[in-house]
Amino acid sequence: MEARQAVADYSTSMGAPASVQDVVLTSGCSQALELVITLLANPGQNILVPRPGFPLYQTLAHSMGIETKFYDLQPENDWKVDVGHMISQIDGETAAIIINSPSNPCGGVFSREHVQEIIDVCDMYRIPIIADEVYEHVVYNDKEHYPFASVSETVPVFTVSSISKRFLVPGWRLGWVIVHDRAGAITDDMRRCLTSLTQRTLGPCSIVQGALPDILKSTPQSSFDFTTQLVQNNSRMFYELISGTKGLKPIEPAGALYMMVKIDLNNFPTFKSDIEFTESLMSEESVFCLPASCFSMPGFFRIVLCVPKDKAIEACERIALFCQRHYQCDDHLTTSFKKTGKVAILSRITSSVYLLNNVQTGEGNSRIANNQRLP
């Protein structure tokens, strides 16, 4: 009871009022997602999930015979939801919409206005929201996290989260579902069913449950500030370094622990996909980046932002050298070579490689070095 009350108090302190009766503890956020999908959707129905998005949404749904339909996020618009596309995906069998902000893999953080825009769609079609907010408050670059439950007055919001990300204890496997339902749309039977679903397996570790009130209430703000500042500094560093690499276009995040990078595959004809690109990057330079095909977004790769600074700088240098080796000119340049009667064998392009040799905390200032390896 004390652990559930601590979660309710934690949610209420963020502007999303909750009582102990609204909270169900789970073995991590993954189980929280599984329980809510099971509760809201029947086999043959569908749920809407973001593209790009965390692949576990599909894995869980498909294992229950539930279809998933994508709605697009817009890389050119800070990864906001394409609301028109979301609406086009809704049909009579749509049981829920999963929203993830701050986002994995994009690092997008929705403004209050955009949160309200999505809620209005769900209100119009009477569809509940599953709000995956496990990266709540891992937000930077002057952005602010707005919990969906703090904004919604009419749409039921099932908030799922855990202590794994903000509190940096992923192996402790303690998460929760909070049922936010100001309009009273969720019946008592549904609440009892959610509790019953948790009893199919053993619950989260009782020792961690005992520690949860202190974790949520007594963790100093300085700990959160340190983590956020580290991720923000790395985000700026990665963005500046990769922006100077031909053929790559990073999209600066505002939250979570990741950055997406677009690959201009037209300039890398050696590779047919982001998977081939990242496999070769690993084999040639020992730099591992996850191909965004894993997130249903081909043509991108994902970078993790919480690596040590020296490793991050070396990784970016190796990425730049890899791209130098494989980058080829645009088609219009090839055409101009042909017009002059010259044979265009474009197997290697030498370009200036931008390396960040020094990053000043909070300012992201950099020094440019042409083809200069780091010491």
Side-chain angles (χ1 to χ4, degrees):
M1 181 68 77
E2 290 82 3
R4 291 166 57 210
Q5 184 63 58
V7 172
D9 294 343
Y10 178 71
S11 175
T12 301
S13 71
M14 295 186 292
S19 69
V20 68
Q21 288 76 24
D22 298 322
V23 178
V24 173
L25 297 182
T26 62
S27 295
C29 191
S30 298
Q31 189 191 32
L33 285 164
E34 179 185 17
L35 297 182
V36 178
I37 293 171
T38 304
L39 176 72
L40 295 178
N42 293 318
Q45 291 187 298
N46 66 75
I47 60 173
L48 269 54
V49 300
R51 178 171 57 196
F54 190 41
L56 184 65
Y57 305 145
Q58 296 167 262
T59 302
L60 292 174
H62 295 171
S63 71
M64 305 175 214
I66 298 164
E67 182 186 354
T68 55
K69 300 175 71 175
F70 291 117
Y71 63 86
D72 288 336
L73 306 181
Q74 304 171 87
E76 72 282 359
N77 195 17
D78 296 327
W79 297 111
K80 288 182 180 178
V81 171
D82 184 335
V83 175
H85 187 247
M86 172 184 278
I87 291 172
S88 73
Q89 298 298 96
I90 296 172
D91 61 27
E93 295 299 323
T94 302
I97 299 178
I98 296 182
I99 313 288
N100 180 210
S101 175
S103 151
N104 174 15
C106 308
V109 178
F110 297 158
S111 66
R112 194 185 194 285
E113 293 72 22
H114 192 49
V115 168
Q116 185 63 64
E117 189 177 14
I118 295 167
I119 289 171
D120 289 344
V121 170
C122 295
D123 192 24
M124 182 187 307
Y125 290 93
R126 298 295 189 264
I127 299 173
I129 292 172
I130 303 173
D132 180 355
E133 296 178 347
V134 72
Y135 292 97
E136 58 197 350
H137 297 302
V138 185
V139 177
Y140 38 91
N141 290 344
D142 299 322
K143 295 288 187 177
E144 186 173 348
H145 167 62
Y146 294 94
F148 271 77
S150 71
V151 180
S152 177
E153 296 287 344
T154 55
V155 177
V157 177
F158 292 80
T159 300
V160 298
S161 189
S162 75
I163 59 175
S164 63
K165 303 301 189 294
R166 190 185 188 200
F167 297 90
L168 305 179
V169 284
W172 291 16
R173 307 308 303 157
L174 195 151
W176 53 80
V177 179
I178 308 176
V179 182
H180 298 279
D181 181 30
R182 299 184 189 184
I186 304 302
T187 65
D188 290 341
D189 282 346
M190 292 182 70
R191 289 175 180 268
R192 284 193 292 269
C193 181
L194 182 60
T195 301
S196 296
L197 286 171
T198 67
Q199 297 167 356
R200 296 183 303 172
T201 60
L202 294 176
C205 174
S206 59
I207 297 174
V208 180
Q209 289 188 52
L212 188 61
D214 280 342
I215 293 172
L216 296 181
K217 295 177 182 178
S218 302
T219 302
Q221 183 62 40
S222 59
S223 174
F224 303 137
D225 293 342
F226 173 82
T227 302
T228 302
Q229 189 64 56
L230 183 149
V231 175
Q232 176 175 282
N233 289 346
N234 277 1
S235 168
R236 290 177 177 176
M237 180 172 61
F238 272 114
Y239 182 79
E240 291 189 28
L241 284 168
I242 295 175
S243 292
T245 301
K246 283 188 175 182
L248 300 182
K249 182 182 178 181
I251 301 173
E252 190 167 13
L257 307 175
Y258 314 102
M259 175 186 290
M260 289 279 273
V261 180
K262 181 175 176 58
I263 311 165
D264 188 348
L265 288 171
N266 291 329
N267 292 124
F268 297 102
T270 306
F271 311 116
K272 296 179 180 178
S273 67
D274 54 309
I275 296 175
E276 289 188 7
F277 183 95
T278 52
E279 284 178 344
S280 295
L281 177 60
M282 179 64 184
S283 63
E284 294 181 26
E285 294 291 344
S286 297
V287 176
F288 176 72
C289 298
L290 202 60
S293 288
C294 297
F295 308 103
S296 303
M297 190 73 170
F300 288 74
F301 63 83
R302 190 193 73 171
I303 286 175
V304 178
L305 300 175
C306 47
V307 297
K309 177 182 172 181
D310 58 334
K311 298 296 183 184
I313 292 174
E314 183 177 0
C316 287
E317 182 190 23
R318 293 185 182 202
I319 291 171
L321 293 174
F322 174 82
C323 290
Q324 264 193 296
R325 269 197 306 278
H326 294 283
Y327 183 89
Q328 295 191 11
C329 287
D330 294 332
D331 289 342
H332 74 276
L333 294 177
T334 303
T335 301
S336 69
F337 276 104
K338 289 180 178 179
K339 285 182 178 179
T340 60
K342 296 180 180 178
V343 179
I345 303 175
L346 304 176
S347 61
R348 180 167 178 166
I349 303 298
T350 303
S351 63
S352 297
V353 179
Y354 292 82
L355 301 177
L356 191 63
N357 290 341
N358 181 42
V359 174
Q360 297 181 359
T361 300
E363 297 185 7
N365 295 331
S366 65
R367 187 177 64 198
I368 296 175
N370 292 331
N371 296 326
Q372 175 185 334
R373 293 190 66 88
L374 292 173

